Amino acid sequence: MAAVNLLNLDREALTAWFETLGEKPFRARQVMRWIHRRGAADFGAMSDVARSLREKLAQQATIAAAPVLRSGTSSDGTRKWLLGVGAGDAVETVYIPEDDRATLCISTQAGCAVNCRFCATGMQGFSRNLSTAEIIGQLWMAEHELRPAAAGAAGEAATRAISNVVFMGMGEPLQNYDAVLPALRLMLDDDAYGLSRRRVTVSTSGMVPMMDKLARDCPVALAVSLHAPTDALRSELVPLNKKYPLGELMGACRRYLQHSPRDFITFEYVLIAGVNDADRQARELLQRVADVSCKINLIPFNPFPGSKLRRPDAQRVRDFAAILTEGGVVTTVRRTRGDDIDAACGQLAGRVLDRTTARLGARHALAVPS
Ligand code: SF4
């Protein structure tokens, strides 16, 4: 019988599995705290768990995240891990420290089926969904690797290294909903990571039905990859738009706001020279989002091999942003982080793999909403 990977189980699932072992719910809670709060990977270390249970767990269970293939730290403190997920695939996790927060950007799929035109992940195609263990394992690994340094910097009081999580790495999270949902629940659970809903952001390219489902099941902060103000252009850039056009998407955003822990949606907009960066398009964008409480995060396109698209110059980005700001929408421009370790957006996992020379270019890798 294959061992059960406990990283796949949220509180409810872990409690149910413990019941099958004849163990009480409080034992599941105890083990959950050891795994997620203390980073234990070894049942033998769980000193307040009965020896008989520890032995049972050692025989029937495991605690296994995706292995780290390589990692690096940038001069600006950005840290990146490349994780092997089998069959030559790799995904990545990026840690982005800032003055007032420390954000972990995580992946949910190996590759992506949405196939956005400006994204090298899309060009690379879709391999598979990550499991819950592979998703929460990114936080588990990073939190416990970084916590000793965080405690050193902040004294004994530091109990957490990562304050925010964004689902903006490789993949479309809402196309892997069944694995993402338990991972979200663990992030929010006080016996695991205890993150506030406002500090966990799911980013979607516009999976309208799943946005409604997320609002019901586990509302967290939401970012939507918009990238164009009109259906004609958005359908070219984000093919999913043909299925869920902008009218439906904006409706889903308004519905989401009724449940959201934040009173705004973050719209991500990759600025591509000569494609979606004209003044006229900024004004159309203002009209498009007029009925949705939002912030807009502009992401100057990061070119990658094989893409014919170009990055606008800095003045064009400023002018576009100014129109939005003058129109009354809080607008930020993403700063590039981690350049020297290939952790900037568009320079991620795929690059180091033999299997493909395509670079992972998730639009959202370092687009951290404020
Ligand atoms: S931008 Fe996001 S949704 Fe689109 S192909 Fe890339 S990873 Fe997938």
Side-chain angles (χ1 to χ4, degrees), residues 146-160:
L146 297 169
R147 193 178 288 173
E156 291 307 305
T159 54
R160 156 187 301 162

Side-chain angles (χ1 to χ4, degrees), residues 70-82 91-97 103-107 166 168-170 299 302-303 311 334-352 359-368:
R70 66 155 68 164
S71 67
T73 305
S74 158
S75 54
D76 66 12
T78 301
R79 187 166 169 78
K80 174 183 123 173
W81 296 266
L82 189 70
V91 300
E92 85 156 28
T93 305
V94 183
Y95 167 75
I96 308 143
T103 302
L104 194 71
C105 175
I106 64 176
S107 297
V166 293
M168 296 184 179
M170 199 186 238
I299 308 164
N302 214 13
R311 182 188 186 106
R334 198 211 62 209
R335 282 183 301 136
T336 300
R337 297 285 304 261
D339 274 354
D340 51 333
I341 54 161
D342 291 344
C345 194
Q347 301 177 331
L348 308 181
R351 185 175 197 183
V352 300
R359 293 207 228 162
L360 189 162
R363 81 295 185 192
H364 19 232
L366 296 178
V368 184

Side-chain angles (χ1 to χ4, degrees), residues 112 114-116 118-119 121-122 169-172 205 362-364:
C112 183
V114 177
N115 198 19
C116 298
F118 52 84
C119 174
T121 299
M170 199 186 238
E172 162 54 64
S205 54
R363 81 295 185 192
H364 19 232

Side-chain angles (χ1 to χ4, degrees), residues 181-202:
L181 185 60
L184 280 174
R185 289 186 166 141
L186 282 167
M187 287 172 191
L188 304 179
D189 196 308
D190 283 338
D191 286 319
Y193 302 91
L195 292 171
S196 133
R197 289 178 187 280
R198 298 160 55 83
R199 290 177 173 271
V200 177
T201 301
V202 167

